[in-house]
């Protein structure tokens, strides 16, 4: 199965923030949308970076609450691992495992078209196993 199929099931909408937004606002966005990472993008088209819950926790541990006033750009990951819609879910799982990442933006021609989380991958894998189990029972 390809990533494009995952996106069809979950939708292609991606929550983004501007690089100059304070980390406190990034935290509010994460909480409001009940997500684990947000793409940093000035226009919602190009991936400039990504900020995850892990990034915020690490920064808080190192810099204390003062980091909440810093811009998202100060703690975002700029070397973002991305994939394309034709990437297989197996390839994506391997990449996520090897790189120890939980969120991968999906791009086409450098433009953001979706975001896949480890939860999306696990949900898909469980669904596939349930179908296989049902087929074996039948």
């Amino acid at each position: 199965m390809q990533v494009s199929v995952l996106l069809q099931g979950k939708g292609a909408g991606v929550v983004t923030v501007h690089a100059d937004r304070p980390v406190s606002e990034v935290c509010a966005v994460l909480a409001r949308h009940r997500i684990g990472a947000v793409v940093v993008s000035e226009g919602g088209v190009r991936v400039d970076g990504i900020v995850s819950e892990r990034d915020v926790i690490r920064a808080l541990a190192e810099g204390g609450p003062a980091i909440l006033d810093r811009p998202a750009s100060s703690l975002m990951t700029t070397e973002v691992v991305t994939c394309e819609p034709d990437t297989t879910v197996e390839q994506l799982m391997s990449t996520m495992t090897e790189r120890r990442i939980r969120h991968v933006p999906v791009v086409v021609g450098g433009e953001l078209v979706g975001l896949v989380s480890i939860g999306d991958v696990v949900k898909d894998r469980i669904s596939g196993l349930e179908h296989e189990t049902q087929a074996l029972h039948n």
Side-chain angles (χ1 to χ4, degrees), residues 6-21:
L6 288 180
L7 291 180
Q8 288 173 0
K10 70 173 280 186
V14 180
V15 177
T16 63
V17 296
H18 288 215
D20 63 351
R21 303 314 309 156

Side-chain angles (χ1 to χ4, degrees), residues 1-15 33-37 39 83 89 92 96 102-106 112-124:
M1 181 192 306
Q2 295 180 324
V3 168
S4 59
V5 176
L6 288 180
L7 291 180
Q8 288 173 0
K10 70 173 280 186
V14 180
V15 177
H33 292 280
R34 299 175 51 103
I35 55 178
V39 173
C83 70
V89 173
L92 183 60
M96 292 174 118
R102 297 178 182 175
H103 303 88
V104 177
V106 184
L112 181 64
V113 298
L115 181 74
V116 178
S117 73
I118 193 69
D120 300 327
V121 173
V122 169
K123 181 179 175 183
D124 174 70

Side-chain angles (χ1 to χ4, degrees), residues 22-32 56 60 68:
V23 172
S24 60
E25 187 174 310
V26 172
C27 291
V29 168
L30 292 170
R32 181 172 49 253
V56 174
L60 279 168
L68 295 172

Side-chain angles (χ1 to χ4, degrees), residues 29-102:
V29 168
L30 292 170
R32 181 172 49 253
H33 292 280
R34 299 175 51 103
I35 55 178
V38 63
V39 173
V40 179
S41 176
E42 292 308 311
V45 176
R46 191 179 81 227
V47 177
D48 299 321
I50 192 166
V51 176
S52 71
E53 294 167 318
R54 286 180 179 180
D55 296 327
V56 174
I57 295 302
R58 284 186 191 118
L60 279 168
E62 292 172 7
I67 69 105
L68 295 172
D69 295 325
R70 292 175 27 198
S73 60
S74 68
L75 59 115
M76 71 183 187
T77 300
T78 56
E79 293 184 23
V80 180
V81 173
T82 63
C83 70
E84 296 183 349
D86 63 351
T87 302
T88 67
V89 173
E90 291 76 18
Q91 290 170 319
L92 183 60
M93 284 191 302
S94 177
T95 299
M96 292 174 118
T97 301
E98 289 170 13
R99 302 291 299 267
R100 299 184 51 83
I101 55 177
R102 297 178 182 175

